[in-house]
Amino acid sequence: MPERLTEMLMDTWTPLIILWITVLPSIYMAPMNQSQVLPSGSSTGLKRLNEEQRVLHRSKRGWVWNQMFVLEEFSGPEPILVGRLHTDLDPGSSRIKYILSGDGAGTIFVINDKTGDIHAMKRLDREEKAEYTLTAQAVDRDTNQPLEPPSEFIIKVQDINDNAPEFVEGPYHATVPEMSVVGTFVTKVTATDADDPVYGNSAKLVYSILEGQPYFSIEPHTAIIKTALPNMDREAKEEYFVVIQAKDMGGHMGGLSGTTTVTITLSDVNDNPPKFAQSLYHFSVMEDVALGEPIGRVRANDLDIGENAKSSYDIIEGDGMDIFEITTDAQTQDGIIRVRKPLDFETKKSYTLKVEAANIHIDPRFLGGGPFKDTATVKIVVEDADEPPVFSSPTYLLEVHENAALNSVLGQVTAHDPDVSSSPIRFSIDRHTDLERQFNINAEDGKITLATPLDRETSTWHNITIVATETRNHSQVSRVPVAIKVLDVNDNAPEFASEHEAFLCENGKPGQVIQIVSAVDKDDPKNGHYFLYSLLPEMVNNPNFTIKKNEDNTLSILAKHGAFSRQKQEVYLLPIVISDGGTPPMSSTGTLTIRVCGCSSDGIVQSCNVEAYVLPIGLSMGALIAILACIILLLVIVVLFVTLRRHKNEPLIIKDDEDVRENIIRYDDEGGGEEDTEAFDIATLQNPDGINGFLPRKDIKPDLQFMPRQGLAPVPNGVDVDEFINVRLHEADNDPTAPPYDSIQIYGYEGKGSAAGSLSSLESSTSDSDQNFDYLSEWGPRFKRLGELYSVGESDKET
């Protein structure tokens, strides 16, 4: 501590001593030192000084002062003397007055107006303001007249080491790969010092490491941090905490210092191979496991992280390389063993595999450390499971002729239980595939028999499913498709492909082809269809027509002569026998209808009916039919039109049950409520005019022409009003074009059975005089008063 105090005192007083040595001679020796005496006029004074020296003539100068400096942060019991102003016009009397203006004049700097001494009144900080520009002037004390022009001068604040270095950007974080060589760049730090970098060593910084050795080093002047130890392993230690110091005064004793922290993290490189946690793995799996199902996991641990820890797995040896496969789980980096092919306990009960894990991303710098892979042995035991029956074939194809006898055997399916116990098998047909129950199967031996006759022409293929079930465990079921093809037999006779109707021209030529016909056969012979055509035995010597077989299995009908006439015979029927070449042969007889028609000179058929002779020239039967249809249509339209007209002219008379006018009929009976259905005749409520059978429409203008109503003449003076109203009423009653009237019927009879009771005093057994209103007194003052009023009223009536 004493050494530190001594160092600080020396740093503080050394600049003061130097300043005192420099300033003191100039203050007391100014008259004899021409270099410290300057006129008040700056550059003009310098020019004048050169001229005076050249003529060796000494002239009077305006201002004399010393070089002015002041130390920052200086504090003492009295204001510090910065300097003294003096003019050679001052003979020593008190006539001269010194005035100071500019930066801080009067507040920071104060001048003695008699002596010219300038004092600093406050502690100055160079980091806040490094220099002050002031103006000095000498004036007459009595008149305040300037004796010389004002002159500027500068007071500089001299720096002292009062600011410690700072790391503005700290704390720092850096990353460097593990296993880096010595001297690998890590990061660079920077400290700043607010002191004057020009004056002295107050801002000269030197960097050093306080914590973090021997792993890292720092350049003293550039502050670059580098690795200091080789082969630093992230897996051993990943993060380092380094403390950096920056010291001013060039690092010498007495300098101020600042520190920061640098957190250095070692990034991973692939310097570690994968390693299986164990050398031998055991797994067991049921033989009926589904393909692709995982049966176990293996894992090779890697001390690296991220991409450097990723590994791929392979099966490199073993007796189950084609049965199993191994894949990599991207999330956990495990090796997943899956089944590729079906397992069979009865065939092979265990497998041994050798799996390998190898890094995907390998750093060539570390290949010399050994292969980045590892191997392990995997033993898989297959466990027995109750398996379903197995058919001898995955599919079956059976063939049967369509004329096969019922219950004949079409074929056989076989299946066995692959388990060691070998349960017996029962066979059945899935009836969803044989809805018509055309086939049966023997449950014991699997022979398929025919249950119903087959017809190839109806269905050529039948696809059924056979089910095999273990008798000891009915849940073990297998299915196999069986395709049954129905073979053809010659059981259908050929026939014409369509109903043919041939047309023969009257002016035809002998040997002319009248029609070409073809035949079809529902059967399907192996060598294709071949038809034989012939005429009936009794028609062999037909004088009109003959037939000719064509090469394309069709038949041509030819005319033997050209003397055909519609008047003689309009239609000819030609029976033709069609036979196939099957075994046994089948045949049928088809009749061809040949019509004799009238044709144009070009052979175009125009008419084939005898009626064409009696029709007008140029008018065919089709045209006559069209004309007749148009006439009938016109007649129908006329009839509809007349009917509608008649229907429109009929008076629209409202029937009794359709009269919906609002009628109010007055009668003297009171209604009897909901049960009163005989109180009145409903017909009375309707239009009274309807009773006589005449129901004039009131909503339309009648067809009958009535005399127009005469205009209402003005009422003459002196006419009786009652008579006038009766006249108008009579006119309105006799005018059918007048608007509907309203009627009121009064019901004077009250029916019986109303739930509300009687509302009238008619036929009442009691009179109002017999009623006692004393009970109203119990309902309150208001009802009591009401009862008194009724009682008084009744008594008055009696009186």
Side-chain angles (χ1 to χ4, degrees):
M1 186 66 185
E3 295 177 355
R4 175 67 177 170
L5 182 58
T6 303
E7 183 179 354
M8 292 179 63
L9 291 175
M10 291 181 63
D11 291 340
T12 303
W13 286 103
T14 299
L16 294 176
I17 294 172
I18 297 173
L19 179 62
W20 180 76
I21 294 172
T22 306
V23 174
L24 188 61
S26 63
I27 295 176
Y28 294 99
M29 298 175 64
M32 296 181 295
N33 189 357
Q34 297 180 2
S35 63
Q36 299 298 326
V37 179
L38 295 176
S40 59
S42 186
S43 61
T44 306
L46 290 175
K47 197 177 297 182
R48 185 186 304 168
L49 179 60
N50 293 333
E51 293 175 355
E52 291 177 352
Q53 289 178 351
R54 189 165 50 248
V55 298
L56 299 178
H57 181 268
R58 183 185 179 106
S59 63
K60 292 183 178 181
R61 294 163 297 173
W63 286 102
V64 179
W65 61 72
N66 60 330
Q67 189 177 10
M68 294 185 184
F69 295 92
V70 61
L71 288 175
E72 67 170 336
E73 303 295 342
F74 182 82
S75 63
E78 295 181 358
I80 181 175
L81 178 61
V82 178
R84 175 178 296 172
L85 299 180
H86 182 73
T87 178
D88 53 3
L89 299 178
D90 187 0
S93 62
S94 57
R95 289 183 60 252
I96 303 299
K97 179 181 178 181
Y98 296 97
I99 299 175
L100 186 65
S101 62
D103 295 340
T107 56
I108 300 176
F109 302 102
V110 178
I111 189 171
N112 189 324
D113 60 353
K114 296 180 180 180
T115 63
D117 293 338
I118 301 175
H119 291 83
M121 307 301 293
K122 297 181 179 180
R123 295 179 59 180
L124 302 179
D125 188 358
R126 190 201 65 84
E127 286 70 39
E128 292 183 3
K129 193 172 181 63
E131 60 182 28
Y132 296 86
T133 302
L134 297 155
T135 302
Q137 190 174 21
V139 299
D140 186 274
R141 185 177 295 275
D142 296 331
T143 62
N144 282 332
Q145 294 296 323
L147 301 178
E148 287 189 2
S151 296
E152 284 187 355
F153 65 96
I154 298 175
I155 299 178
K156 292 187 177 181
V157 182
Q158 286 188 323
D159 182 55
I160 64 172
N161 190 18
D162 60 341
N163 291 280
E166 294 181 357
F167 291 91
V168 179
E169 299 177 358
Y172 295 86
H173 295 271
T175 302
V176 64
E178 63 172 333
M179 297 297 174
S180 297
V181 297
V182 176
T184 302
F185 174 84
V186 178
T187 187
K188 180 181 180 180
V189 297
T190 303
T192 59
D193 195 321
D195 292 327
D196 190 356
V198 178
Y199 179 77
N201 294 326
S202 299
K204 186 177 181 181
L205 305 180
V206 175
Y207 299 89
S208 61
I209 291 182
L210 299 183
E211 294 182 20
Q213 295 175 335
Y215 304 104
F216 301 96
S217 63
I218 188 170
E219 292 287 339
H221 300 290
T222 61
I224 296 177
I225 302 175
K226 300 179 180 180
T227 57
L229 284 181
N231 300 328
M232 286 188 290
D233 193 1
R234 185 198 64 82
E235 289 73 31
K237 186 176 181 180
E238 184 177 3
E239 192 172 81
Y240 294 86
F241 189 76
V242 180
V243 179
I244 305 296
Q245 181 192 62
K247 189 174 183 181
D248 58 13
M249 297 298 293
H252 293 93
M253 186 177 296
L256 303 178
S257 63
T259 60
T260 188
T261 59
V262 182
T263 302
I264 301 176
T265 303
L266 297 182
S267 60
D268 185 60
V269 297
N270 191 9
D271 59 339
N272 295 281
K275 186 70 176 177
F276 280 103
Q278 55 195 73
S279 59
L280 180 63
Y281 293 86
H282 291 274
F283 300 106
S284 61
V285 58
M286 300 296 293
E287 62 174 332
D288 59 350
V289 65
L291 298 183
E293 192 73 17
I295 63 173
R297 288 173 174 257
V298 297
R299 183 170 187 176
N301 297 317
D302 196 324
L303 297 178
D304 298 320
I305 59 175
E307 294 292 325
N308 298 320
K310 289 185 177 181
S311 300
S312 62
Y313 296 87
D314 291 299
I315 300 175
I316 58 176
E317 292 181 11
D319 53 359
M321 295 181 63
D322 58 338
I323 304 297
F324 302 93
E325 65 179 358
I326 186 170
T327 58
T328 304
D329 189 335
Q331 301 295 329
T332 62
Q333 291 299 307
D334 292 343
I336 305 175
I337 301 176
R338 304 177 187 270
V339 180
R340 293 179 58 187
K341 295 182 179 180
L343 302 176
D344 188 7
F345 172 81
E346 290 73 24
T347 303
K348 189 172 181 61
K349 297 179 175 60
S350 64
Y351 297 88
T352 301
L353 306 174
K354 187 175 183 179
V355 297
E356 178 186 76
N359 278 148
I360 300 176
H361 305 284
I362 299 177
D363 194 334
R365 296 178 298 171
F366 306 102
L367 286 176
F372 282 79
K373 61 180 65 176
D374 193 19
T375 59
T377 302
V378 178
K379 289 190 175 181
I380 302 174
V381 177
V382 181
E383 297 182 359
D384 189 23
D386 190 4
E387 300 176 87
V390 178
F391 284 95
S392 59
S393 175
T395 59
Y396 290 89
L397 174 62
L398 305 179
E399 293 183 347
V400 57
H401 287 89
E402 60 179 328
N403 61 348
L406 298 181
N407 298 321
S408 60
V409 178
L410 309 183
Q412 185 179 12
V413 296
T414 57
H416 70 281
D417 185 4
D419 298 324
V420 178
S421 58
S422 185
S423 172
I425 306 299
R426 292 187 62 83
F427 299 95
S428 62
I429 296 178
D430 186 354
R431 291 304 176 183
H432 292 91
T433 60
D434 185 25
L435 297 177
E436 298 180 358
R437 295 182 174 270
Q438 292 183 297
F439 307 96
N440 291 325
I441 189 170
N442 189 305
E444 303 297 332
D445 56 12
K447 291 182 179 180
I448 301 174
T449 58
L450 183 64
T452 60
L454 300 176
D455 186 8
R456 189 202 66 83
E457 288 72 33
T458 303
S459 179
T460 305
W461 288 92
H462 297 272
N463 297 304
I464 63 175
T465 299
I466 304 299
V467 181
T469 307
E470 292 185 7
T471 57
R472 298 176 185 173
N473 186 359
H474 292 172
S475 62
Q476 297 298 329
V477 176
S478 295
R479 299 172 181 269
V480 67
V482 177
I484 302 175
K485 182 179 181 180
V486 182
L487 301 178
D488 182 53
V489 295
N490 193 26
D491 58 346
N492 291 279
E495 57 187 7
F496 282 126
S498 61
E499 293 293 334
H500 292 286
E501 185 177 13
F503 299 95
L504 175 63
C505 292
E506 288 181 315
N507 55 355
K509 299 178 181 180
Q512 180 181 357
V513 177
I514 302 173
Q515 184 72 31
I516 297 177
V517 297
S518 60
V520 294
D521 194 337
K522 295 180 180 180
D523 296 324
D524 186 17
K526 295 181 179 179
N527 297 326
H529 292 287
Y530 181 78
F531 300 117
L532 298 175
Y533 301 93
S534 63
L535 298 176
L536 291 176
E538 60 271 17
M539 300 289 293
V540 173
N541 297 321
N542 189 308
N544 299 316
F545 307 100
T546 185
I547 59 176
K548 178 184 178 182
K549 174 70 181 297
N550 301 322
E551 295 181 359
D552 57 353
N553 223 14
T554 59
L555 179 68
S556 297
I557 312 298
L558 291 80
K560 286 187 175 182
H561 59 82
F564 292 95
S565 174
R566 282 181 289 172
Q567 293 180 344
K568 181 179 180 180
Q569 185 173 351
E570 181 183 0
V571 178
Y572 294 88
L573 300 178
L574 183 64
I576 300 175
V577 179
I578 309 173
S579 304
D580 58 18
T583 304
M586 303 292 291
S587 63
S588 66
T589 301
T591 301
L592 177 65
T593 301
I594 303 175
R595 292 184 178 274
V596 180
C597 303
C599 301
S600 63
S601 57
D602 298 333
I604 300 175
V605 177
Q606 293 183 340
S607 175
C608 298
N609 298 327
V610 180
E611 290 83 355
Y613 286 102
V614 300
L615 294 178
I617 298 175
L619 193 62
S620 63
M621 180 62 69
L624 285 176
I625 294 174
I627 293 173
L628 183 60
C630 292
I631 294 173
I632 294 174
L633 180 61
L634 289 175
L635 291 176
V636 171
I637 293 174
V638 170
V639 171
L640 289 176
F641 179 75
V642 173
T643 304
L644 291 176
R645 289 283 300 198
R646 290 181 179 179
H647 181 70
K648 182 178 180 182
N649 293 332
E650 289 181 358
L652 300 178
I653 300 176
I654 301 176
K655 297 182 180 179
D656 293 347
D657 56 351
E658 296 179 354
D659 191 356
V660 294
R661 291 180 297 168
E662 296 180 356
N663 300 322
I664 302 177
I665 301 175
R666 181 181 182 278
Y667 66 100
D668 296 333
D669 293 335
E670 183 178 358
E674 297 175 356
E675 297 181 1
D676 185 8
T677 59
E678 299 179 355
F680 59 92
D681 185 6
I682 190 65
T684 309
L685 299 179
Q686 297 175 348
N687 189 357
D689 294 336
I691 299 175
N692 300 326
F694 177 71
L695 298 175
R697 288 293 300 265
K698 304 300 183 178
D699 55 345
I700 63 173
K701 184 177 180 180
D703 292 338
L704 299 177
Q705 300 296 327
F706 293 93
M707 293 300 294
R709 295 178 61 185
Q710 297 179 358
L712 298 180
V715 180
N717 296 332
V719 177
D720 188 5
V721 176
D722 184 29
E723 181 182 357
F724 173 77
I725 293 176
N726 291 331
V727 172
R728 293 291 183 263
L729 179 61
H730 177 72
E731 292 179 356
D733 291 339
N734 295 327
D735 187 1
T737 62
Y741 60 91
D742 293 335
S743 61
I744 301 176
Q745 184 167 348
I746 300 174
Y747 298 85
Y749 169 76
E750 181 180 5
K752 297 180 180 180
S754 175
S758 176
L759 302 178
S760 174
S761 60
L762 299 177
E763 299 181 2
S764 177
S765 60
T766 59
S767 63
D768 294 341
S769 60
D770 297 333
Q771 295 184 12
N772 186 4
F773 300 100
D774 293 340
Y775 66 92
L776 295 177
S777 301
E778 300 176 0
W779 292 6
R782 296 181 180 178
F783 292 96
K784 180 179 179 181
R785 178 58 179 167
L786 182 62
E788 293 175 355
L789 293 175
Y790 270 86
S791 299
V792 172
E794 296 299 330
S795 60
D796 292 343
K797 290 181 180 179
E798 294 176 357
T799 305

